[in-house]
Amino acid sequence: MITMADIIRDGHPTLRRVAAEVTMPPSQEDKEILKSLLEYVINSQDPELAEKYGLRGGVGLAAPQINVSKRMIAVHVKDENGKQYSYALFNPKIISHSVEKAYLTTGEGCLSVDEAIPGFVPRYARITLKAIDLDGKEVKLRLKGLPAIVFQHEIDHLNGVMFYDYINENDPFLPIENAIPVER
Ligand SMILES: CC(C)(C)[C@H](NC(=O)Nc1cc(F)cc(F)c1)C(=O)N(CC(=O)NO)CC1CCCC1
Ligand SMILES: [Zn+2]
């Protein structure tokens, strides 16, 4: 199982690389890696396991964060209506998005960034993404709210982008134009 020891931290070069597409159909090894990403996120939200193994509670994880430069992400998060989104995806691609933006009112953090970096992170308010699931089937997701933010954060990791790249240096909490605030 993945623990915090496996998660590389800011400054590690892999976090700034563009990850490679996973060849389809996925190999057994790639399936195991992707399953382990989702397993981490689910385990990290279980208070007993999180405490026992010292896991930082997470809502998403991307393969580059365990030093695997391949296009795989896992997300396990509930939206504001309590609907559970739980996905382990190969080669996710945003195929369309709203003009309107959204941002987490608390700012963002990252499992690969130990210190807090304050500031609003502009995201698209709504996205449509296509990906391949663990069974090799194509999935198409239309997302908004917190799930949309999490998926965008994870897909950024596949392109070597960190959340703080978007923060306005002069005024981190400068209101974002045409953006809806998303509460945690
Ligand atoms: C870095 C950490 C703070 C642990 C963050 N968790 C998080 O934002 N939890 C959260 C947010 C809510 F809005 C409501 C709620 F119920 C729980 C997280 O897992 N990530 C995942 C990560 O680092 N992936 O690479 C960072 C998030 C920041 C915005 C999207 C993902
Ligand atoms: Zn992150």
Side-chain angles (χ1 to χ4, degrees), residues 60 65 109-112 153-154 157 162-163:
Q65 293 178 275
C110 182
L111 287 166
S112 294
H153 177 109
E154 303 314 331
H157 277 303
M162 300 293 284
F163 73 92

Side-chain angles (χ1 to χ4, degrees), residues 10-73:
D10 205 10
H12 191 299
T14 303
L15 287 172
R16 287 303 187 178
R17 285 175 59 191
V18 175
E21 288 260 318
V22 176
T23 44
M24 290 293 131
S27 66
Q28 198 47 39
E29 187 201 3
D30 286 339
K31 284 184 187 176
E32 293 307 320
I33 294 169
L34 182 52
K35 270 187 246 170
S36 72
L37 295 178
L38 184 59
E39 181 196 46
Y40 174 86
V41 184
I42 293 170
N43 288 350
S44 76
Q45 293 179 23
D46 174 322
E48 268 171 42
L49 289 174
E51 214 238 305
K52 185 173 175 189
Y53 296 104
L55 311 179
R56 192 178 171 197
V59 290
L61 191 64
Q65 293 178 275
I66 58 167
N67 205 18
V68 172
S69 198
K70 291 187 174 182
R71 305 185 80 80
M72 302 186 219
I73 63 170

Side-chain angles (χ1 to χ4, degrees), residues 26-132:
S27 66
Q28 198 47 39
E29 187 201 3
D30 286 339
K31 284 184 187 176
E32 293 307 320
I33 294 169
L34 182 52
K35 270 187 246 170
S36 72
L37 295 178
L38 184 59
E39 181 196 46
Y40 174 86
V41 184
I42 293 170
N43 288 350
S44 76
Q45 293 179 23
D46 174 322
E48 268 171 42
L49 289 174
E51 214 238 305
K52 185 173 175 189
Y53 296 104
L55 311 179
R56 192 178 171 197
V59 290
L61 191 64
Q65 293 178 275
I66 58 167
N67 205 18
V68 172
S69 198
K70 291 187 174 182
R71 305 185 80 80
M72 302 186 219
I73 63 170
V75 171
H76 190 76
V77 69
K78 283 184 180 164
D79 69 8
E80 60 277 7
N81 306 318
K83 180 183 176 193
Q84 182 74 60
Y85 289 75
S86 193
Y87 287 96
L89 301 173
F90 293 112
N91 304 332
K93 185 173 173 47
I94 293 173
I95 55 171
S96 70
H97 60 76
S98 58
V99 170
E100 192 175 38
K101 298 278 175 46
Y103 63 97
L104 270 186
T105 52
T106 55
E108 295 189 9
C110 182
L111 287 166
S112 294
V113 179
D114 294 329
E115 75 282 1
I117 304 177
F120 291 146
V121 177
R123 300 284 183 189
Y124 298 121
R126 292 172 299 284
I127 60 170
T128 300
L129 77 79
K130 272 191 354 187
I132 307 293

